[in-house]
């Protein structure tokens, strides 16, 4: 049940943003947590902080025309939602996927505000992307698309304004093309305008690995808080993109056994533990489907068209996309002996699924806390760019681990403070919200 004031704010969000169901879901989850904060801090309600947070500061929608290799013209839609800049320049990735529309970009941007706040680093929240589908496109087509996208986006971004990065469908190749076009148009080598850059041109060590590594560190802390560790645990990961791959890498280093991962065609089950070198070869080099994994590793099986959540595991690390764990999936996972969930993806669990996890007493680390390592390391990349410095891999990874430990501890401490011990959702939402709210109050009515 929502606090009365929050319920009318939520009704307004529904009315003002029709059809944007993922955005509604992301707002609802935060509002569900912050009722008790309003009791302690009447000044937030008086200044209409929540109403202001739910309304993006600026939303940009633009045409992206480009030509394919046959010379045919295509038109996509580009987005950048600059949601909140109370803590720093808007910061958040770009997603290229056919499912992208304003509601997806707004849900991601909204989550990003609190996630970025939780990192403790000076970054506001934003997100962008396009309904462009990079699957099956040549490098030349992807380059022309990225150049056209940046030809509009460049006027809205800058190292002190708005700093994009990658998300689904936007990795090192796309970031290179985007930065190249920004540099060409502006005639400025402004490294801090985008993060996730290659190491050859201003990128930071550990940024590629950061979301997955960070998520594994977060789960390690959750397990530690319950007196256990990854050692010998059976782990199920969804996805096989950047987040999944580096989650698997770190979990294996920490002693866990990842027995399954997936892509949009199905999942692969490998009881001996996923062979990471083979997975990287198939996904990063060949950009092929997961069935190829089972062809090359005979004891592994590829299961087409089914959810990976039917595979029993003690730890689940969803690293694919939003709403990939339903209430039914969650019930199956709990029945199969699940003890912890760390979300590498953004909002991968439906509200029904979250309820099942929480009622079963699972250690449930929501994305905005568990996957904050990616954007945190982006902020470290900005810091290195600003000081024209570059840190070693070891130092960068140590910083990432400290940041994840700190987020974990603050989530737990905040949950305790509000009488909800072990509730990482409440801890993350309340702690993330408070910092943004205090900055907004201090900055006046803007
Ligand atoms: N897209 C990532 C996220 O969901 C990273 C954003 C960034 O590095 O700016 O947090």
């Amino acid at each position: 049940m929502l606090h009365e004031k929050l319920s009318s704010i939520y009704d307004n969000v529904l009315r003002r943003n029709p059809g944007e169901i993922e955005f509604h879901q992301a707002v609802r989850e935060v509002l569900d947590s912050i009722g008790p904060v309003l009791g302690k801090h009447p000044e937030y309600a008086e200044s209409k902080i929540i109403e202001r947070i739910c309304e993006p500061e600026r939303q940009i929608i633009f045409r992206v025309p480009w030509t394919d290799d046959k010379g045919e013209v295509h038109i996509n839609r580009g987005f950048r939602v600059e949601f909140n800049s109370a803590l720093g320049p808007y910061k958040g990735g770009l997603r290229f996927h056919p499912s992208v529309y304003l509601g997806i970009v707004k849900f991601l941007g909204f989550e990003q505000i609190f996630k970025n706040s939780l990192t403790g680093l000076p970054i506001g929240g934003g997100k962008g992307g396009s309904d462009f589908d990079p699957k099956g496109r040549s490098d030349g087509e992807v380059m022309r698309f990225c150049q056209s996208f940046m030809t509009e986006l460049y006027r809205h971004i800058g190292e002190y304004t708005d700093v994009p990065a990658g998300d689904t469908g936007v990795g090192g190749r796309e970031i290179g093309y985007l930065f190249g076009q920004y540099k060409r148009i502006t005639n400025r080598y402004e490294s801090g305008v985008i993060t996730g850059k290659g190491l050859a041109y201003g990128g930071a060590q550990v940024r590629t690995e950061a979301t997955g590594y960070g998520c594994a560190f977060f789960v390690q802390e959750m397990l530690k808080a319950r007196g256990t560790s990854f050692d010998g645990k059976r782990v199920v990961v969804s996805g096989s993109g950047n987040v999944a791959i580096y989650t698997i890498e770190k979990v294996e280093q920490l002693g866990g056994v990842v027995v399954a991962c997936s892509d949009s065609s199905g999942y692969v089950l490998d009881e001996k533990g996923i062979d990471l070198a083979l997975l990287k070869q198939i996904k990063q080099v060949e950009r092929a489907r997961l069935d190829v994994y089972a062809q090359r590793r005979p004891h592994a099986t590829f299961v087409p068209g089914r959810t990976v959540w039917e595979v029993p595991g003690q730890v689940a690390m969803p690293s694919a996309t939003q709403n990939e764990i339903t209430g039914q999936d969650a019930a199956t996972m709990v029945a199969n002996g699940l003890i912890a969930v760390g979300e590498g993806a953004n909002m991968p669990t439906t509200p029904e699924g979250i309820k099942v996890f929480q009622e079963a007493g699972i250690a449930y680390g929501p994305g905005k806390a568990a996957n904050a390592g990616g954007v945190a390391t982006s902020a470290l990349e900005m810091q290195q760019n600003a000081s024209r410095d570059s840190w070693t891999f070891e130092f960068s990874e140590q910083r990432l681990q400290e940041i994840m430990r700190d987020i974990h501890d603050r989530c737990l401490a905040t949950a305790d403070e509000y009488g909800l011990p072990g509730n990482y959702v409440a801890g993350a939402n309340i702690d993330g919200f408070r910092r943004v709210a205090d900055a907004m109050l201090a900055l006046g009515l803007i």
Side-chain angles (χ1 to χ4, degrees), residues 7-334:
S7 158
S8 85
I9 294 174
Y10 184 61
D11 289 343
N12 255 323
V13 168
L14 296 183
R15 196 175 48 75
R16 288 168 66 80
N17 305 279
E20 297 175 0
I21 49 175
E22 296 84 2
F23 177 51
H24 302 162
Q25 184 184 335
V27 170
R28 175 73 201 223
E29 194 221 84
V30 170
L31 297 190
D32 274 337
S33 297
I34 59 176
V37 186
L38 297 190
K40 278 199 190 179
H41 295 274
E43 68 276 21
Y44 294 155
E46 279 156 26
S47 303
K48 299 239 167 41
I49 292 289
I50 299 158
E51 290 90 328
R52 282 155 61 192
I53 285 187
C54 291
E55 184 69 18
E57 289 176 18
R58 191 177 295 114
Q59 309 183 53
I60 302 148
I61 303 181
F62 51 99
R63 178 169 71 200
V64 189
W66 57 283
T67 51
D68 66 20
D69 288 343
K70 296 192 211 93
E72 195 183 323
V73 173
H74 296 260
I75 310 296
N76 283 98
R77 189 170 287 176
F79 301 90
R80 186 73 183 166
V81 173
E82 298 180 335
F83 227 117
N84 195 297
S85 60
L87 295 178
Y90 310 106
K91 182 83 198 86
L94 299 171
R95 176 175 291 191
F96 292 169
H97 191 272
S99 64
V100 168
Y101 76 107
L102 190 57
I104 293 272
V105 180
K106 277 162 74 174
F107 118 63
L108 291 164
F110 187 77
E111 290 267 302
Q112 202 83 47
I113 302 170
F114 306 98
K115 182 196 304 193
N116 294 4
S117 166
L118 274 173
T119 67
L121 298 164
I123 40 180
K127 204 86 185 191
S130 174
D131 56 1
F132 171 71
D133 188 358
K135 228 180 241 157
R137 291 290 172 196
S138 69
D139 285 356
E141 289 174 323
V142 169
M143 181 181 76
R144 289 194 294 281
F145 176 81
C146 288
Q147 290 178 337
S148 181
F149 186 87
M150 186 53 86
T151 300
E152 172 59 33
L153 186 68
Y154 89 94
R155 69 190 75 248
H156 307 291
I157 63 176
E159 66 175 315
Y160 296 110
T161 313
D162 183 357
V163 182
D167 195 85
T168 307
V170 178
R173 173 181 62 171
E174 291 75 16
I175 294 293
Y177 296 148
L178 290 163
F179 180 66
Q181 183 73 350
Y182 182 86
K183 183 177 80 61
R184 189 177 188 197
I185 295 174
T186 60
N187 195 32
R188 282 165 61 86
Y189 206 111
E190 190 185 330
S191 302
V193 72
I194 195 162
T195 61
K197 298 181 295 295
L199 297 177
Y201 64 95
Q205 295 285 357
V206 188
R207 177 63 192 89
T208 306
E209 297 84 355
T211 310
Y213 278 22
C215 193
F217 288 140
F218 191 90
V219 172
Q220 186 184 29
E221 293 301 317
M222 291 202 299
L223 293 171
K224 198 162 42 164
R226 296 189 168 210
T228 181
S229 74
F230 264 119
D231 202 28
K233 293 272 179 326
R234 212 180 133 90
V235 181
V236 176
V237 171
S238 65
S240 48
N242 170 274
V243 178
I245 284 175
Y246 293 102
T247 295
I248 296 170
E249 185 161 289
K250 188 49 71 181
V251 167
E252 289 183 350
Q253 288 171 13
L254 294 172
V257 185
V258 180
V259 293
C261 66
S262 64
D263 68 10
S264 56
S265 67
Y267 71 83
V268 73
L269 178 64
D270 187 339
E271 292 289 348
K272 290 193 181 154
I274 295 289
D275 177 341
L276 195 62
L278 177 58
L279 185 67
K280 283 184 180 174
Q281 168 67 25
I282 291 167
K283 284 293 167 184
Q284 295 178 333
V285 182
E286 299 172 26
R287 294 182 194 264
R289 295 263 183 201
L290 261 189
D291 54 338
V292 177
Y293 181 99
Q295 286 162 22
R296 298 198 195 152
R297 212 161 131 94
H299 64 268
T301 37
F302 176 71
V303 182
R306 294 186 64 92
T307 171
V308 73
W309 305 121
E310 67 186 20
V311 177
Q314 294 154 292
V315 179
M317 303 186 70
S319 313
T321 195
Q322 66 275 357
N323 291 329
E324 53 167 305
I325 299 181
T326 65
Q328 185 55 53
D329 295 330
T332 308
M333 294 156 81
V334 169

Side-chain angles (χ1 to χ4, degrees), residues 115 118-121 206 209-222 250 317 342-344 365-377 380 396-412 424:
K115 182 196 304 193
L118 274 173
T119 67
L121 298 164
V206 188
E209 297 84 355
T211 310
Y213 278 22
C215 193
F217 288 140
F218 191 90
V219 172
Q220 186 184 29
E221 293 301 317
M222 291 202 299
K250 188 49 71 181
M317 303 186 70
E343 295 185 335
K368 62 170 78 70
N371 74 35
V375 76
T377 308
L380 303 183
S396 309
E397 188 181 10
Q398 191 191 320
R399 287 282 288 125
L400 170 63
Q401 188 165 10
E402 284 161 9
I403 290 167
M404 297 315 295
R405 201 178 289 142
D406 181 55
I407 294 173
H408 172 272
D409 293 353
R410 266 185 296 115
C411 286
L412 269 196
Y424 290 93

